[in-house]
Amino acid sequence: MIDMGVSDEVKSRCRKIREEYKDARRYTRQLKRDLESRVLPPLFEIRDSGGGFDEEQLELLEHWIDELDEFETRIMHFCGMILTQYNELLSDEYSGNTIPGRSTL
């Protein structure tokens, strides 16, 4: 009922995007399952009998944690920009405005 005023092309694209999203979610879940089943590489195996990591291993692990945090920040910023642009495009389309140089959905 909500989509009565929406063209068939927009509905079709929405269905396609929904399926792509579902596929991406399935892939993400599979990656998470694979990751959970992995063990640390031999570099991170405990070398001493005291049960802890040595200084070199901790530095390397902290480095990769920092790298992953920075990557996550960049990805979140990128996703926010994409979402903002998409929402602007939708609001312009629904308000009847066209943006020069951009095609409509």
Side-chain angles (χ1 to χ4, degrees):
M1 183 139 197
I2 293 174
D3 60 358
M4 286 176 43
V6 179
S7 72
D8 289 338
E9 182 180 339
V10 171
K11 290 181 211 176
S12 174
R13 282 188 50 129
C14 286
R15 282 189 292 274
K16 181 181 177 200
I17 290 171
R18 181 180 59 204
E19 290 304 315
E20 289 173 359
Y21 174 78
K22 286 179 182 179
D23 290 342
R25 292 273 301 176
R26 278 188 223 107
Y27 180 70
T28 300
R29 287 184 187 125
Q30 181 62 40
L31 285 177
K32 285 182 181 179
R33 282 192 297 274
D34 290 348
L35 182 61
E36 289 170 355
S37 69
R38 291 185 183 186
V39 294
L40 289 173
L43 176 63
F44 290 107
E45 289 179 5
I46 299 172
R47 293 183 188 159
D48 61 3
S49 60
F53 293 109
D54 68 17
E55 191 65 33
E56 179 186 349
Q57 288 174 315
L58 287 175
E59 285 180 25
L60 186 57
L61 190 57
E62 287 173 0
H63 166 75
W64 282 111
I65 290 170
D66 292 341
E67 289 289 326
L68 289 172
D69 285 343
E70 179 62 30
F71 179 72
E72 179 185 25
T73 301
R74 291 191 338 246
I75 292 298
M76 295 303 289
H77 177 70
F78 176 74
C79 289
M81 288 180 1
I82 295 295
L83 184 59
T84 300
Q85 290 179 1
Y86 181 72
N87 286 337
E88 288 174 1
L89 180 64
L90 285 180
S91 68
D92 286 341
E93 183 172 315
Y94 287 121
S95 66
N97 298 333
T98 57
I99 301 171
R102 287 192 185 171
S103 64
T104 58
L105 292 177

